[in-house]
Amino acid sequence: MKRTLCSSLLVAMTTLLPLGQAGAATLLRLAYAENSQPVKDALKYIGETIEKRSGGEIKVLYFPDGQLGGERELVELTQVGAVDITKVSSGLLESFSPVYGVFSLPYLFPDQASYYKVMDDPAVMQPIYQSTAPQGFTGVAWYDSGARNFYMSKAPVRSMADVKGKKIRVMQSDTAIRSMKLLGASPIAMGQAEVYTALQQGIIDGAENNEFALTIARHGEVAKFYTLDMHTRIPDIVIVSTLTRDKLTPEQQTLLQEVINESITVEKQAWATEMAKTRKQAVDQFGVQFIDIDPAPFKQAVQPIYETLSPAVAEAYKRISAHLPVAETAAVSQ
């Protein structure tokens, strides 16, 4: 109730500052939910750089850390032009455009290099970005959100036998839930804010996320075993309101896209730096043990998912497969 009221008031205030002239400047409203520092660094770069290069003609007004609600609320605000720019998980965007479900496919990317190659290719990403145009927004860039891995409270995952029957927290994603079932686990969908207590009280045996969950969310206090199986790499997506794009001049549109493209490099570099620090902190401060495994048996177990892809996801998967080693691709049912 309090968040809803706060959001409503803030939206009412921002709509009093319509896109266009704020004094002599064009004002863009950039909002985001709670995020890792690399994402915050990249979003800060957008505002500082576009203001400088436009000579003050464009200014960015920030609403950080969930001031206007969570990621779903921010997408909805972007659809109606109350927010001009935001960053959300592609996992969430699956509910707005099914094609984003391709990034939830388990063991899709064998390594970071293949992942970056795919994500940086406009031939792959532009059809995905544009798929939400009828809904009032489009993607304009992606940010690395790392690989999602298993972490457990009582014993490490070294083989599929170690996840069999275990209660594993997953995102509210049909693909994630099905993947865990195929691996023999019992998936439990719950919000991120509930995971610490659920691990602590034994309601769940483990969860899956990137390494920042160990330190920022302090899950390393109650889950000491982190297995690097890298079952998904689900990117973050920067989106822009269609109403915003239509009101910008062609020159402003070009400048905005150039700066947002540059912010991808900023985020990648910051991600690499912060991830190294996070892993060290997880070991030194929280006593987390990192475990490497061969994911091949896990990947084999989830192959039924690839045999029943929707047409939209199957087409996106084919474009992605062109960048992957032949041994890494799966058969896609037509």
Side-chain angles (χ1 to χ4, degrees):
M1 174 71 83
K2 183 177 180 181
R3 168 59 62 81
T4 302
L5 177 61
C6 181
S7 297
S8 299
L9 290 172
L10 284 166
V11 171
M13 291 168 60
T14 59
T15 54
L16 295 176
L17 295 170
L19 175 66
Q21 298 301 311
T26 295
L27 183 67
L28 297 178
R29 293 152 297 201
L30 194 160
Y32 56 90
E34 294 182 2
N35 279 282
S36 63
Q37 193 59 46
V39 169
K40 293 181 179 180
D41 290 346
L43 296 175
K44 180 181 179 182
Y45 176 88
I46 292 173
E48 292 180 345
T49 306
I50 199 167
E51 181 172 342
K52 180 178 179 180
R53 292 199 192 156
S54 69
E57 179 183 314
I58 302 175
K59 294 184 180 294
V60 175
L61 178 64
Y62 284 89
F63 294 91
D65 301 326
Q67 286 184 11
L68 297 185
E71 290 195 340
R72 176 168 290 278
E73 289 82 6
L74 293 176
V75 174
E76 292 169 352
L77 291 173
T78 303
Q79 288 179 292
V80 298
V83 166
D84 301 302
I85 307 169
T86 189
K87 187 252 37 150
V88 298
S89 170
S90 65
L92 170 68
L93 292 179
E94 185 176 349
S95 63
F96 292 87
S97 173
V99 70
Y100 275 100
V102 72
F103 298 118
S104 295
L105 293 177
Y107 305 101
L108 174 62
F109 299 105
D111 51 47
Q112 187 185 75
S114 298
Y115 174 55
Y116 279 13
K117 187 176 181 181
V118 166
M119 300 304 299
D120 287 334
D121 186 350
V124 173
M125 293 306 299
Q126 280 305 315
I128 297 175
Y129 287 154
Q130 293 300 318
S131 67
T132 57
Q135 299 194 58
F137 66 93
T138 56
V140 291
W142 71 281
Y143 290 156
D144 192 359
S145 188
R148 297 181 76 89
N149 301 283
F150 290 106
Y151 54 99
M152 309 294 284
S153 60
K154 296 181 176 64
V157 171
R158 299 186 187 275
S159 69
M160 284 180 53
D162 297 323
V163 297
K164 186 175 179 59
K166 297 295 192 300
K167 297 185 292 294
I168 307 292
R169 179 266 174 177
V170 297
M171 296 183 295
Q172 185 61 56
S173 160
D174 290 343
T175 304
I177 291 170
R178 188 180 177 196
S179 296
M180 289 300 123
K181 288 181 177 179
L182 287 169
L183 293 175
S186 297
I188 307 293
M190 66 171 61
Q192 175 72 357
E194 305 170 66
V195 176
Y196 184 102
T197 301
L199 284 166
Q200 188 178 46
Q201 296 179 352
I203 297 171
I204 57 176
D205 300 298
E208 49 87 47
N209 209 326
N210 65 47
E211 292 90 324
F212 283 122
L214 300 173
T215 57
I216 295 176
R218 305 189 74 83
H219 293 176
E221 292 180 343
V222 289
K224 302 296 185 181
F225 306 101
Y226 192 89
T227 297
L228 296 163
D229 74 303
M230 303 182 187
H231 48 265
T232 52
R233 294 180 182 270
I234 299 177
D236 286 332
I237 304 294
V238 180
I239 65 174
V240 171
S241 171
T242 302
L243 293 172
T244 301
R245 188 181 294 277
D246 291 346
K247 293 175 183 178
L248 293 173
T249 68
E251 294 77 16
Q252 289 174 331
Q253 290 181 23
T254 298
L255 176 59
L256 178 62
Q257 187 64 60
E258 287 177 351
V259 172
I260 289 175
N261 287 346
E262 292 169 11
S263 77
I264 298 173
T265 300
V266 171
E267 199 271 346
K268 285 181 184 177
Q269 294 172 343
W271 184 273
T273 299
E274 289 300 316
M275 185 53 64
K277 292 179 181 177
T278 293
R279 287 196 179 190
K280 187 175 188 303
Q281 182 186 3
V283 173
D284 295 346
Q285 181 178 338
F286 296 96
V288 173
Q289 177 183 354
F290 285 86
I291 300 116
D292 287 302
I293 64 166
D294 177 8
F298 292 76
K299 182 173 182 178
Q300 184 60 39
V302 299
Q303 285 309 294
I305 289 178
Y306 286 85
E307 297 167 2
T308 56
L309 301 181
S310 69
V313 173
E315 182 61 32
Y317 174 71
K318 286 181 179 179
R319 291 195 297 269
I320 290 172
S321 296
H323 294 292
L324 302 179
V326 174
E328 298 296 337
T329 60
V332 178
S333 173
Q334 298 302 313

